[in-house]
Amino acid sequence: RRKTEVKKETVLKEIIGKLDIGPLGMLHNLLTSKSRVKVLIRRVAERRKTEVKKETVLKEIIGKLDIGPLGMLHNLLTSKSRVKVLIRRVADVRGFCVGTLLAFDKHFNLVLSDVHEEYYTHQWVPIEEKNEGEKKKYEKVSTKHTKEYRQLFIKGDNVILVYRSPDT
């Protein structure tokens, strides 16, 4: 044991002796001196430790993607299946979109490809009556519209429901 300890000490002394020259020597001098730079270097080292912690947190979040609503979206994304998304208007359902899920986030913002959209517009049309003295009556007329998109971004605020499309 003593021989290996002596060898380690001599090797360390040789390395420290070579630290006086070049960029390693500058770094060694900064680390051993009592200056503001030393404090800055320690802060950088602490930040690196927190970056490692961030990576572990991200791994934990990805591990939890198997459960809950985000887990369902993750499963739909990995299986590349078509989804049906119900879209809302201010007070009611606007329509729906059917497409392949490409991306999502925690706010339920969705990116779909090869999208088929169906939605309805409503208008109040006056009903013509023979009596001119009465108030006008109105009738609600709904019109169905369909559109096709190569790619579509749906803001999470407008999403009511997401599920696997039954026609696939």
Side-chain angles (χ1 to χ4, degrees), residues 63-82:
K64 292 180 180 179
L65 278 178
D66 295 336
I67 56 174
L70 292 177
M72 186 213 47
L73 281 178
H74 180 69
N75 292 337
L76 291 170
L77 177 69
T78 54
S79 67
K80 296 182 180 177
S81 59
R82 292 183 63 80

Side-chain angles (χ1 to χ4, degrees), residues 1 3 21 60 62 72-73 76 78 103 106-107 112-113 120 122 125 128 153 168:
R1 285 187 182 178
K3 289 181 182 178
I21 52 174
E60 288 178 18
I62 291 170
M72 186 213 47
L73 281 178
L76 291 170
T78 54
K106 67 181 181 179
H107 305 289
L112 303 176
S113 68
Y120 296 90
H122 308 292
V125 179
E128 292 184 24
F153 174 81
T168 57

